[in-house]
Amino acid sequence: MKVKNSGPKQFKQAKITHCILLSLGLLAPGLALAQETTDDDEEVVETIEVKGMRSSVISAQATKMSSDKIMDGISADDIGALPDRSVTETLQRIAGVAIDRYMSLGDPEHFSVEGNGVIVRGLTQVRSELNGRGTFSANGGRTLSFGDVPPELLNAVNVYKSPSADQIEGGLAGTIDLETRLPFHSDKQQISFDITANYGDVIKETKPAYSFLYSNTWNTDVGKIGFLFDIAKSELSTRNDSMYVRPFFYRDDIAGYEGSTVYVPRGADWRTMYFDRERTGAYAAVQYAPDENSEFTLTYFSSDYDMQWSEDAIFVDNWPYGVQVESGAQFSDSGVLEKGRLTQDGGVPMGADVRSSTQDARTDDIALRYRYSNENLIVESSLQRVDSTSKGIDNTVATQVSVPYIDVDLTGSLPTVTSDADYLSDPNNYVWNFIMDNQYDREADMTAVDVDITYILEDSFIEAVRFGGRYSDTNSENADTGYNWSPLAPNWLQAAIVEGQENIVPNVDELYLNTFDNFFGGDVPSPANVFAPKSSFALDYPESFQGLQDKFVYADWSSWAYWNQRDLNADQFKNDQSEKTSAAYVMLDFFTDSLGKPVSGNFGVRYVKTENTAHGFVQYPFNPLFGDGAYTELNAEHDYSNWLPSLNVKVELTDELLLRFAAAKAMARPNFADLGANITLNANLTSAGEASQNAGNPPQVQDYELTLDSTQNPYLDPMESTQFDVSLEWYYAEDSSAYIALFTKDISGYQVPQASQVEFGGFTYNARWPVSSAEADITGVELSLNHFFSSLPAPFDGFGVQMNYTYIDSSTDGDPSTAPADTDGSGYGPMPFRGLSENAVNVVLMYEKGPFSARLAYNWRDEFLMSTNANGFAGTENGISYGLPLFNAPTAYMDGSVTYRINDNLSVVLQANNLNDAVTKNEMRQNGPGNHYSAYHVNDIRYALSLRGYY
């Protein structure tokens, strides 16, 4: 059967492409505008079944080619078989998309092997969707945690880079749509399964994974009915080893170098982290078509992600200006220490900890869609409910030990860091140091309803008029105690201990000796072994914490040192918001061939109003002039409206060559975590006020400086972007294509800490909190090639390649007081956007012939800024506050897979991640010492052996 489309002229589809699109549901009835068939249009299409990598490329290419927007995507090789073991790792294969591999972008000390944050064209303000509807995780942000989603449940992942008026707002960087299968995508019964064993070569553990899908349709007297059910579960264990070189300080008092400035690091340290996760997903869909014009679709999607990581670490806890360097050390010509022994009077204080962090996250998404269509009218309406939770606790228990020395050798490609192994092996050299806990409980829900109407015109430049609206009601409740740190018996507190002196040194049965076996896979000498508290102290919270605290009684003047468990339900730890959005749009589809070339596209405008109320409390200063410590409820209301015009144009230069142009205004709302309304006000006497008070005068209002310091601001405005895109796309074969895309974004309103003024209780306070005031420009280019060498003689005609390259340039205009500072207080020039790499490359080599297929994927990403205030690389020493810019150094990763089809129903797949055993490095930038690697991370090569079945 040949499909006739009344919309813009479509590219010709070969039979093989047509069949693949039918099998994926991309040409299912009702999905195209006003599809109609006649006897004259009918033709017989032979049944051609294409599976594997080539079919994935064909379907993704066909989706891109027919799209009315600039986009890219990846389709599953077969049912439930995306090419990678996580959604984040799949996304990084797309031009313009990058991922970071840390638990959070601002925490360079904790690596994430499967990737975490997703960045599109240099920005993190990404909108996430499930089948075209918004969805999210309760993580304080507005985006789904893509790593939480089982890739086995997905049919395709599409990234939309230019918006249109009918698209839900919020994707300033782009929109990532996770597409699932629907039962009407196939008229046949379908059953598939996957049984997998996951293995890490460093942790040397094997974990299971499985998935199962059933789908069928039935034609009945009351209409067509379809049902699909899909479930997936996987477990993974990995190990990560890390070494750190701490900031260099400007020194003129190093023995043998007095009077000359040399650069000496504060110290160096090492750790091992163990990561375990269990990911479970379920998806069900029911479709009902009572007649050829109507269709009901009910979908349910659930993702459950349970994670635990633990670490054994030793870290410097010293005064950097107390460090000395033994004679015989090696310095560079510019005075930077390259190799030597670091010492300190009384030993170098270090902390040895055990840390355990657990998280249980779940997202449930249920949606009901109704669709009506006839020759001139399409009406779609959806009702959606999303519920998401994320609960966790992060506990650390540490001892302290003053090591005789730290040996560092930074001359090789990997450093050597160690200390006195005999000294560290003696438990009597350790004392109890501190305990720290962080609890959080986040809940979010959204109810949304939308209506979209399309009226199709005939024989007109305007081919269709689309209009519609959407209403959403979102609630976000975020409780977080922050890091609750309390000392136990470190050296500097021991004089305050009035009872429990005998408990200062831990009992040997309370400690565990970590020998750091096979550290860095044996590529570096193992660092010295370390005694750390047993893991039960971190796991048995809160009883274990209270037991440790009960070992000591402090003098009254140090009563602040007592640990008190924070109540997660207390008002000061809550950050709750309610948000309502109302949107309406009108969009016109157009087509003309009167210009000599077929030109089609859309233009329209979307209007959206956002009303946000942040629920919190204001703590007034403990001063009778300014509220006398009153604690009052605050409902911070803030609303704003945005007009978002858009234009998308597609010119068919030839049957194979497409030219696209897009212009739009986009917006992204602040993260919920940034909109907290718990505010603490301060009133401090000025120097003039103190002088007046010392003269016997009672302080007056003008004698006080009124301040507000916060990392949250409930009155933040959205980021906005005016953006332009142009692309040239060449589809020279049904499985091969190339394109170049240019883009620019002029951004305003991104958040930076800044000084402003705000009123509370009739008084004006000088606020230091995030403000939507900074501006930035981003410009870039994407190059992409998909090519199968089908014209080569057998067996070389099975080879194929996918390549893409992304270049991004950025400039920012923010508050200079937020800029990083070196350890001597000197500043830096402008910093790039956080998380933005200037260059990124993907190369995928493929081979597919008969029952055998293989894939080798290479991903390289240029350096990118991670943080200017990271733990271990910021602080105040000798009255100088510093925060070093930390960059992730350029890094490459290589993954691969081999598939053998036993028969039409069964195949065996071997996948491997991190085949090149990559060392991920961080780089700290300093003015005098120069740039130096500050962290080194290595993790498992991960293998997955699977048996897949299709029936």
Side-chain angles (χ1 to χ4, degrees):
M1 180 178 70
K2 184 178 178 182
V3 177
K4 183 178 179 182
N5 196 315
S6 66
K9 176 179 177 287
Q10 302 296 308
F11 277 87
K12 296 177 181 178
Q13 294 170 351
K15 296 178 180 180
I16 187 171
T17 305
H18 189 87
C19 292
I20 290 172
L21 296 179
L22 282 172
S23 70
L24 293 172
L26 298 176
L27 290 181
L31 290 182
L33 279 179
Q35 290 179 354
E36 58 184 67
T37 61
T38 67
D39 293 339
D40 293 338
D41 294 325
E42 292 181 356
E43 65 178 37
V44 176
V45 177
E46 60 182 307
T47 301
I48 304 175
E49 185 176 25
V50 178
K51 296 181 179 180
M53 294 179 293
R54 189 164 177 250
S55 71
S56 170
V57 172
I58 291 173
S59 60
Q61 182 170 299
T63 301
K64 177 180 176 69
M65 184 172 61
S66 60
S67 175
D68 61 354
K69 295 178 280 291
I70 295 176
M71 57 86 66
D72 281 291
I74 292 180
S75 296
D77 292 355
D78 288 305
I79 298 173
L82 284 175
D84 291 282
R85 301 301 298 177
S86 73
V87 174
T88 48
E89 289 173 313
T90 294
L91 283 165
Q92 70 176 336
R93 312 295 177 198
I94 297 174
V97 180
I99 65 173
D100 72 75
R101 293 179 180 268
Y102 298 89
M103 294 296 180
S104 67
L105 188 58
D107 181 8
E109 295 188 338
H110 296 99
F111 197 74
S112 175
V113 297
E114 291 185 305
N116 188 30
V118 176
I119 297 134
V120 177
R121 288 182 166 178
L123 296 170
T124 60
Q125 288 73 24
V126 177
R127 176 174 176 79
S128 56
E129 294 187 344
L130 180 67
N131 295 323
R133 291 180 291 270
T135 192
F136 55 86
S137 298
N139 55 13
R142 295 180 178 272
T143 304
L144 190 68
S145 295
F146 293 104
D148 297 0
V149 178
E152 297 88 348
L153 302 184
L154 302 181
N155 187 51
V157 178
N158 295 317
V159 179
Y160 294 94
K161 301 173 181 178
S162 68
S164 57
D166 61 340
Q167 204 169 28
I168 304 172
E169 72 286 340
L172 184 143
T175 296
I176 297 176
D177 185 21
L178 307 182
E179 178 187 305
T180 60
R181 294 183 65 85
L182 291 171
F184 283 1
H185 284 178
S186 175
D187 288 332
K188 302 182 296 183
Q189 174 179 273
Q190 292 185 321
I191 299 174
S192 70
F193 67 85
D194 187 313
I195 302 172
T196 300
N198 294 312
Y199 177 78
D201 76 323
V202 178
I203 199 168
K204 299 189 184 305
E205 292 184 13
T206 302
K207 295 291 183 177
Y210 65 83
S211 66
F212 175 81
L213 176 143
Y214 175 81
S215 179
N216 207 348
T217 60
W218 300 269
N219 292 307
T220 71
D221 293 339
V222 295
K224 185 178 181 179
I225 299 173
F227 172 75
L228 184 148
F229 175 74
D230 197 355
I231 187 171
K233 182 175 182 178
S234 70
E235 298 178 27
L236 180 69
S237 293
T238 64
R239 171 180 153 179
N240 181 80
D241 293 334
S242 301
M243 289 184 286
Y244 302 89
V245 179
R246 298 303 174 176
F248 286 80
F249 284 80
Y250 295 63
R251 303 290 300 276
D252 58 7
D253 59 346
I254 297 299
Y257 295 87
E258 293 87 351
S260 301
T261 299
V262 294
Y263 308 101
V264 177
R266 177 180 183 175
D269 40 62
W270 57 95
R271 70 185 62 188
T272 291
M273 186 177 81
Y274 301 90
F275 175 82
D276 294 275
R277 68 117 172 103
E278 182 178 297
R279 185 173 59 203
T280 305
Y283 170 68
V286 177
Q287 289 187 284
Y288 172 56
D291 54 53
E292 63 181 8
N293 300 113
S294 300
E295 182 180 283
F296 296 86
T297 302
L298 176 66
T299 58
Y300 169 74
F301 184 92
S302 173
S303 174
D304 197 330
Y305 187 87
D306 298 334
M307 172 272 292
Q308 177 181 355
W309 61 262
S310 60
E311 73 174 6
D312 292 306
I314 185 167
F315 52 91
V316 292
D317 192 19
N318 63 329
W319 183 47
Y321 290 98
V323 173
Q324 279 294 326
V325 183
E326 284 194 357
S327 61
Q330 177 180 325
F331 286 84
S332 69
D333 293 340
S334 56
V336 178
L337 180 69
E338 296 179 333
K339 181 178 180 180
R341 174 166 289 185
L342 307 178
T343 62
Q344 195 164 335
D345 289 344
V348 182
M350 301 189 78
D353 75 21
V354 60
R355 185 173 180 179
S356 176
S357 179
T358 61
Q359 179 191 47
D360 298 324
R362 182 181 177 92
T363 298
D364 294 279
D365 186 315
I366 186 169
L368 175 65
R369 185 193 74 167
Y370 170 71
R371 176 186 175 91
Y372 172 83
S373 63
N374 60 30
E375 290 185 356
N376 296 102
L377 183 67
I378 300 174
V379 179
E380 287 191 77
S381 182
S382 296
L383 176 64
Q384 181 190 18
R385 172 75 179 187
V386 179
D387 289 279
S388 185
T389 61
S390 178
K391 301 179 181 180
I393 187 167
D394 184 354
N395 297 325
T396 304
V397 181
T399 56
Q400 185 184 58
V401 58
S402 294
V403 299
Y405 59 84
I406 301 174
D407 284 339
V408 295
D409 182 352
L410 310 179
T411 58
S413 59
L414 291 174
T416 298
V417 179
T418 191
S419 185
D420 190 325
D422 292 335
Y423 187 89
L424 285 166
S425 298
D426 185 351
N428 294 313
N429 293 324
Y430 294 77
V431 299
W432 287 111
N433 192 354
F434 69 84
I435 51 179
M436 181 173 65
D437 64 289
N438 173 218
Q439 309 167 64
Y440 60 89
D441 187 352
R442 303 170 184 138
E443 298 181 2
D445 63 73
M446 180 188 70
T447 302
V449 60
D450 60 70
V451 177
D452 299 280
I453 299 173
T454 301
Y455 185 74
I456 300 165
L457 304 174
E458 297 182 0
D459 302 323
S460 171
F461 170 72
I462 303 299
E463 292 226 316
V465 179
R466 303 174 186 255
F467 58 94
R470 181 178 184 268
Y471 173 81
S472 70
D473 186 346
T474 303
N475 298 285
S476 177
E477 300 178 1
N478 302 281
D480 192 325
T481 63
Y483 284 99
N484 181 23
W485 181 90
S486 294
L488 291 173
N491 296 332
W492 53 266
L493 187 63
Q494 290 173 9
I497 298 175
V498 296
E499 293 182 28
Q501 292 280 346
E502 70 280 5
N503 296 323
I504 291 176
V505 176
N507 295 324
V508 67
D509 60 359
E510 295 176 312
L511 301 177
Y512 163 76
L513 184 65
N514 190 336
T515 56
F516 297 97
D517 294 332
N518 196 32
F519 195 68
F520 270 64
D523 291 337
V524 300
S526 291
N529 43 25
V530 174
F531 268 114
K534 285 188 173 179
S535 59
S536 58
F537 285 106
L539 296 173
D540 295 342
Y541 174 92
E543 291 81 10
S544 59
F545 275 43
Q546 191 61 58
L548 287 169
Q549 183 64 87
D550 291 344
K551 288 177 178 287
F552 307 104
V553 177
Y554 306 107
D556 291 342
W557 49 272
S558 290
S559 59
W560 59 268
Y562 286 108
W563 175 79
N564 292 294
Q565 184 181 6
R566 292 177 178 176
D567 181 3
L568 192 58
N569 296 314
D571 293 334
Q572 64 264 38
F573 302 127
K574 291 185 177 180
N575 168 16
D576 300 341
Q577 286 106 36
S578 57
E579 183 178 271
K580 296 177 173 60
T581 69
S582 304
Y585 74 91
V586 60
M587 188 175 83
L588 305 179
D589 292 348
F590 60 86
F591 172 76
T592 181
D593 54 8
S594 61
L595 300 177
K597 302 289 183 183
V599 179
S600 60
N602 59 71
F603 61 92
V605 63
R606 186 178 188 91
Y607 169 81
V608 58
K609 182 176 183 180
T610 304
E611 300 170 282
N612 183 280
T613 302
H615 310 281
F617 293 84
V618 177
Q619 175 73 68
Y620 284 87
F622 287 90
N623 186 308
L625 294 174
F626 307 104
D628 201 20
Y631 192 61
T632 61
E633 185 175 358
L634 172 65
N635 291 316
E637 297 182 352
H638 187 49
D639 65 82
Y640 45 86
S641 299
N642 298 89
W643 290 91
L644 305 173
S646 61
L647 169 68
N648 290 277
V649 179
K650 179 169 65 175
V651 181
E652 299 178 23
L653 300 176
T654 69
D655 283 348
E656 298 178 344
L657 197 61
L658 272 179
L659 176 66
R660 296 182 189 266
F661 172 78
K665 190 170 185 179
M667 60 88 79
R669 301 179 181 90
N671 286 332
F672 287 119
D674 299 327
L675 293 171
N678 283 329
I679 294 173
T680 299
L681 304 175
N682 305 296
N684 299 305
L685 279 171
T686 63
S687 56
E690 287 181 356
S692 177
Q693 186 181 48
N694 293 335
N697 300 313
Q700 304 297 312
V701 169
Q702 63 270 20
D703 294 327
Y704 288 90
E705 180 185 13
L706 305 182
T707 60
L708 182 165
D709 290 293
S710 178
T711 59
Q712 301 172 325
N713 181 353
Y715 303 104
L716 287 172
D717 290 319
M719 286 176 61
E720 294 183 321
S721 170
T722 300
Q723 52 195 54
F724 297 92
D725 300 77
V726 62
S727 71
L728 184 64
E729 303 167 6
W730 180 29
Y731 300 94
Y732 57 90
E734 65 180 348
D735 58 5
S736 300
S737 63
Y739 78 81
I740 179 173
L742 307 175
F743 59 90
T744 180
K745 295 177 184 284
D746 185 1
I747 299 168
S748 62
Y750 82 85
Q751 291 85 40
V752 292
Q754 197 172 68
S756 64
Q757 292 188 322
V758 63
E759 271 199 20
F760 285 99
F763 296 98
T764 300
Y765 288 79
N766 294 317
R768 181 70 181 173
W769 58 359
V771 176
S772 305
S773 62
E775 298 180 349
D777 291 302
I778 291 179
T779 304
V781 59
E782 297 168 354
L783 301 171
S784 180
L785 171 69
N786 295 326
H787 184 78
F788 280 90
F789 298 90
S790 306
S791 60
L792 294 179
F796 305 105
D797 56 346
F799 280 105
V801 63
Q802 292 179 294
M803 297 187 294
N804 62 65
Y805 166 74
T806 304
Y807 170 81
I808 302 176
D809 183 40
S810 69
S811 62
T812 59
D813 179 19
D815 182 358
S817 64
T818 67
D822 201 354
T823 51
D824 68 340
S826 60
Y828 296 81
M831 291 286 112
F833 246 92
R834 209 165 62 124
L836 184 151
S837 291
E838 190 172 81
N839 300 280
V841 174
N842 280 290
V843 179
V844 180
L845 302 178
M846 300 172 287
Y847 184 80
E848 196 165 38
K849 192 72 173 176
F852 177 81
S853 62
R855 172 179 171 269
L856 188 65
Y858 172 86
N859 171 265
W860 178 87
R861 186 180 177 191
D862 206 350
E863 65 181 25
F864 61 89
L865 177 66
M866 299 177 62
S867 177
T868 58
N869 194 37
N871 180 52
F873 299 91
T876 301
E877 302 292 349
N878 286 2
I880 297 175
S881 295
Y882 68 94
L884 303 185
L886 285 185
F887 286 76
N888 194 91
T891 311
Y893 297 92
M894 188 173 293
D895 307 321
S897 66
V898 177
T899 302
Y900 180 76
R901 291 188 179 273
I902 300 170
N903 53 40
D904 289 342
N905 304 114
L906 293 173
S907 60
V908 177
V909 183
L910 176 62
Q911 293 175 281
N913 295 86
N914 190 30
L915 276 171
N916 59 326
D917 201 11
V919 178
T920 303
K921 301 178 182 179
N922 301 157
E923 186 179 78
M924 54 184 172
R925 303 285 172 86
Q926 297 192 253
N927 295 320
N931 304 332
H932 295 276
Y933 292 127
S934 58
Y936 304 77
H937 306 282
V938 297
N939 58 276
D940 297 83
I941 300 174
R942 292 176 286 132
Y943 300 95
L945 180 62
S946 304
L947 175 66
R948 294 177 181 172
Y950 313 89
Y951 295 92

